[in-house]
Amino acid sequence: MLRFVTALTLCPSDIRKIYDLLDEHRVESNPLRHILVTPLFAPEESLKRIRAIKEKYGSTVMFDSGGYYVQIGKLTYEELYYPLLRFYRNNPWADVYTLPDHVPTSQDTLEVIWRKTRDTAKYSSLFNEELPSVLRDKAMPVVQGHTVEQVEHCLKVYLELGVRHIGFGSFGTVGKNSEVNVATNSAVDLGRHVVDIAETHDIAVHFFGLGVPALVPMIRGVGASSFDSSSWIKCAGFGQVYLPFIRGYNISHRNGCSALQKGITVEHFRELRSLTRHNCAFCSSVEELQQRKLYRALHNLICIQESVDMVNSGDYRTIRTIYEQGSPRYKKEYEKWLMPA
């Protein structure tokens, strides 16, 4: 079963509002059943709220290392190590602990990518040794690299550690600070290679930072056990909304100038909502969806979870119909990813 892990590195008031709205509207899909948080970049009160959610509702919690913040230049890889180790030692209540990774970007030279790959493997191993024994079973090193040789370098080190979880984070990157992950064909092939090797050792693989509804069948088809995403709230801030297996569209205003900010009419949105059989409390009023960022965020969050639930249930006929009518560019890809034999 594929698991969606909701990235929730937010301020305490946003976490409270999100949980209160989900509870108030009795959202059955429970998109907070699995949570990812980056503890070094989350306010202490946010961590307290997430721990309370875990203790009250049984949610699983994954600690992220903060490699993304190294990737976008907030701190150096070396500055990450000891604060993260100190936090992990003092907080043994999470379910998964991501080891410090050095994320290569699409703009890096081969030499730089190799350096980051070797750094990730070497310091993950050292970090794991310094963890208390009770946390080592929960440790998750991250495979980095843009070639088979590079990812196998990481895998060789991690298999010797005897870990039960491995992350994969080397997707293509775009944006001013290489802050957005994209599923290039070569990265997907590398992810599949990592999964194939991990499966022979009974190791679960998590995909980092790749979670739009249209790609859920790919993630399942490649064989990942879980994935995380913060796209649900980031896109909402730009006025974008998802639907199950459908790309994001800007619903706040018409914008035909940018492919990423392509607008959608209310009529077309309602047609796609009918096609995908989606109906939640946060999009029942399209006017409120247009005006309220948090409503767009929660609507998007539910759409990702619904996509995962539909894939896990094996409802391939419905998924194929959605791709054919709503996302034709993915139809051939879907057939490669997920069509049963």
Side-chain angles (χ1 to χ4, degrees), residues 184-251:
T184 62
N185 289 335
S186 60
V188 171
D189 289 342
L190 285 176
R192 182 180 288 108
H193 186 64
V194 170
V195 169
D196 288 345
I197 293 176
E199 281 184 341
T200 65
H201 297 271
D202 198 27
I203 297 172
V205 177
H206 177 84
F207 280 6
F208 276 100
L210 194 72
V212 296
L215 293 180
V216 168
M218 179 276 290
I219 297 169
R220 170 67 185 276
V222 167
S225 299
S226 59
F227 70 97
D228 68 86
S229 177
S230 60
S231 66
W232 57 279
I233 194 163
K234 288 181 178 178
C235 288
F238 292 105
Q240 288 189 310
V241 290
Y242 296 145
L243 282 163
F245 308 107
I246 301 288
R247 57 153 294 170
Y249 286 97
N250 192 311
I251 201 167

Side-chain angles (χ1 to χ4, degrees), residues 261-272:
Q261 281 291 305
K262 187 176 180 180
I264 188 172
T265 64
V266 171
E267 181 182 3
H268 189 201
F269 175 75
R270 286 176 172 150
E271 290 172 355
L272 291 178

Side-chain angles (χ1 to χ4, degrees), residues 43-203:
E44 184 177 351
E45 186 60 32
S46 292
L47 293 171
K48 289 180 180 178
R49 288 189 179 277
I50 289 171
R51 185 172 185 179
I53 291 171
K54 172 181 172 59
E55 292 174 352
K56 185 174 181 180
Y57 298 100
S59 300
T60 65
V61 175
M62 178 184 294
F63 282 157
D64 187 21
S65 69
Y68 166 78
Y69 293 91
V70 175
Q71 178 182 340
I72 64 173
K74 292 288 187 182
L75 77 169
T76 67
Y77 183 62
E78 292 73 20
E79 291 170 334
L80 180 65
Y81 190 99
Y82 283 110
L84 187 67
L85 181 61
R86 188 181 311 116
F87 181 88
Y88 282 4
R89 285 172 170 171
N90 292 334
N91 292 272
W93 52 270
D95 299 279
V96 178
Y97 292 75
T98 306
L99 304 185
D101 58 319
H102 204 174
V103 186
T105 72
S106 298
Q107 290 72 41
D108 287 337
T109 64
L110 181 61
E111 180 182 359
V112 171
I113 295 169
W114 261 116
R115 175 172 58 80
K116 290 181 176 181
T117 299
R118 292 190 178 103
D119 281 350
T120 298
K122 175 183 177 181
Y123 290 107
S124 290
S125 180
L126 292 173
F127 193 99
N128 188 69
E129 290 179 10
E130 295 195 72
L131 284 175
S133 58
V134 70
L135 297 186
R136 287 179 196 159
D137 282 344
K138 302 178 181 181
M140 183 170 70
V142 183
V143 171
Q144 296 291 2
H146 289 179
T147 67
V148 170
E149 186 180 8
Q150 288 164 354
V151 300
E152 288 187 348
H153 173 80
C154 289
L155 285 168
K156 182 177 184 296
V157 173
Y158 301 159
L159 293 177
E160 291 174 357
L161 296 179
V163 295
R164 298 167 55 194
H165 315 272
I166 285 177
F168 178 71
S170 280
F171 294 101
T173 55
V174 296
K176 181 179 178 181
N177 296 312
S178 298
E179 73 274 19
V180 179
N181 286 357
V182 292
T184 62
N185 289 335
S186 60
V188 171
D189 289 342
L190 285 176
R192 182 180 288 108
H193 186 64
V194 170
V195 169
D196 288 345
I197 293 176
E199 281 184 341
T200 65
H201 297 271
D202 198 27
I203 297 172

Side-chain angles (χ1 to χ4, degrees), residues 17-27 281-282 295:
K17 290 173 186 175
I18 287 167
Y19 204 90
D20 286 350
L21 281 168
L22 290 172
D23 190 50
E24 176 187 344
H25 292 286
R26 299 180 181 179
V27 175
F282 306 106
Y295 270 41

Side-chain angles (χ1 to χ4, degrees), residues 279-339:
N279 183 31
C280 73
F282 306 106
C283 68
S284 58
S285 166
V286 179
E287 291 73 22
E288 284 198 283
L289 192 68
Q290 291 174 316
Q291 296 168 9
R292 300 179 66 173
K293 173 190 171 183
L294 209 50
Y295 270 41
R296 292 193 298 274
L298 289 171
H299 162 84
N300 290 345
L301 183 59
I302 292 167
C303 287
I304 298 174
Q305 186 62 59
E306 286 181 352
S307 299
V308 172
D309 292 343
M310 202 178 301
V311 163
N312 284 338
S313 71
D315 191 358
Y316 302 122
R317 180 176 296 179
T318 300
I319 298 169
R320 181 171 187 167
T321 299
I322 293 171
Y323 276 131
E324 287 176 341
Q325 298 183 38
S327 299
R329 61 172 292 199
Y330 285 109
K331 179 176 179 288
K332 290 183 179 179
E333 297 300 320
Y334 160 73
E335 292 173 347
K336 292 190 294 185
W337 294 336
L338 206 59
M339 282 300 291

